[in-house]
């Protein structure tokens, strides 16, 4: 897979929201998931670290859940940003979403050593609430499917 | 919270299944989640690393999903092991489960710097398939709820 991620939404998150262990560009120890548009779909690519195993040869489910989680919030952010008239790289700060719920179905064991590709389809279910359906591929094989309900981070978040 | 985990089920997993990034005792870089009985409930305690943040002050959802995931498979293993007449520490190898599906509802932001407590209730829905309902507490406050459907690892897993 030679695909690359240019103009990821996470590159444009405001600094105070760029510390997420999954997708924050400022979290030195994190995964640095990066999510972009590919037409009407959203895409995140990630090669798990050898430590991220379930049993030798296969990727840890919690890592796949993490990928789906951040792919979901990133996809929702891409969608609302586009609805507002912006694309990543435009210089505008995108809206930051948090996960209300996460569901993952593990379809089959995910082989190690391969770049995983999460593909998302976003649906607005409320002006501040988006549903993202996600498929995770290893090469051309679906290993997991998921659904994220993401909501715009309330100003009161954590206060 | 002064509670500790003695006789965790993961301490008894066969070596070849003890590499999980979430709960494998042999994975040096992993979380080392450890799950025990507390009466009819199951318990996992875990203090997230400072890097495991969503935004400063609050724990990353993917880490909570990982905790629920391994707590679910560990709880299912405890339950089937007990059904088979064994407790952790008995010297018998417990059955190893894999996750079929994982659901997490994030109830409220999970504060950093606190030992999280996952509490599980296990229900057998088939001799090889168990459902585990999970609540995650920070101090006495529920931050997330979840449900894991765990199945006995098929002998063909990954083959």
């Amino acid at each position: 897979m030679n695909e690359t991620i240019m103009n990821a939404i996470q590159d444009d998150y405001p600094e105070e929201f760029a510390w997420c262990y999954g997708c924050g560009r400022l979290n030195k120890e994190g995964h640095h998931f990066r999510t972009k548009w590919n037409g009407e779909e959203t895409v995140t690519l990630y090669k798990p670290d050898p430590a991220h195993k379930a049993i030798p040869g296969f990727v840890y489910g919690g890592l796949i859940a993490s990928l789906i989680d951040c792919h979901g919030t990133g996809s929702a952010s891409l969608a609302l940003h586009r609805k507002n008239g912006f694309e990543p790289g435009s210089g505008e700060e995108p809206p930051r979403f948090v996960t209300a719920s996460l569901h993952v179905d593990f379809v089959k064991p995910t082989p190690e050593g391969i770049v995983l590709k999460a593909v998302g389809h976003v649906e607005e279910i409320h002006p501040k609430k988006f549903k993202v359906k996600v498929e995770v591929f290893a090469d051309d094989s679906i290993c997991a499917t998921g659904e994220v309900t993401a909501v715009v981070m309330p100003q009161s978040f954590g206060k």
Side-chain angles (χ1 to χ4, degrees), chain A:
Chain A
M1 187 187 302
N2 293 314
E3 201 172 347
T4 56
I5 301 283
M6 302 284 289
N7 292 328
I9 194 72
Q10 291 90 351
D11 298 345
D12 291 355
Y13 283 168
E15 268 201 17
E16 65 267 37
F17 300 138
W19 294 94
C20 173
Y21 187 75
C23 65
R25 67 184 180 277
L26 300 177
N27 190 322
K28 288 185 186 168
E29 298 173 61
H31 302 312
H32 300 145
F33 299 137
R34 297 174 63 252
T35 307
K36 66 163 187 176
W37 283 115
N38 181 22
E40 297 300 310
E41 294 180 343
T42 58
V43 175
T44 303
L45 304 175
Y46 184 71
K47 187 172 182 182
D49 188 86
H52 298 143
K53 63 176 88 272
I55 63 170
F58 299 94
V59 177
Y60 173 48
L63 189 277
I64 294 165
S66 298
L67 172 61
I68 289 174
D69 184 1
C70 290
H71 178 73
T73 51
S75 296
S77 183
L78 280 165
L80 181 53
H81 207 38
R82 178 173 279 182
K83 185 183 172 196
N84 291 338
F86 305 114
E87 297 290 321
S90 66
E92 297 288 330
E93 287 188 347
R96 187 74 167 88
F97 280 74
V98 293
T99 307
S101 73
L102 166 67
H103 186 89
V104 182
D105 289 308
F106 295 95
V107 177
K108 63 178 193 176
T110 302
E112 282 188 323
I114 292 176
V115 175
L116 303 181
K117 180 176 184 173
V119 176
H121 292 93
V122 190
E123 179 192 351
E124 180 181 319
I125 53 179
H126 173 279
K128 293 188 171 184
K129 193 172 184 178
F130 289 68
K131 184 187 292 185
V132 185
K133 294 194 173 181
V134 185
E135 294 172 313
V136 177
F137 296 84
D139 289 333
D140 293 328
S141 184
I142 289 189
C143 296
T145 61
E147 188 172 294
V148 174
T149 302
V151 296
V152 174
M153 185 183 285
Q155 295 218 330
S156 63
F157 186 89
K159 287 176 183 161

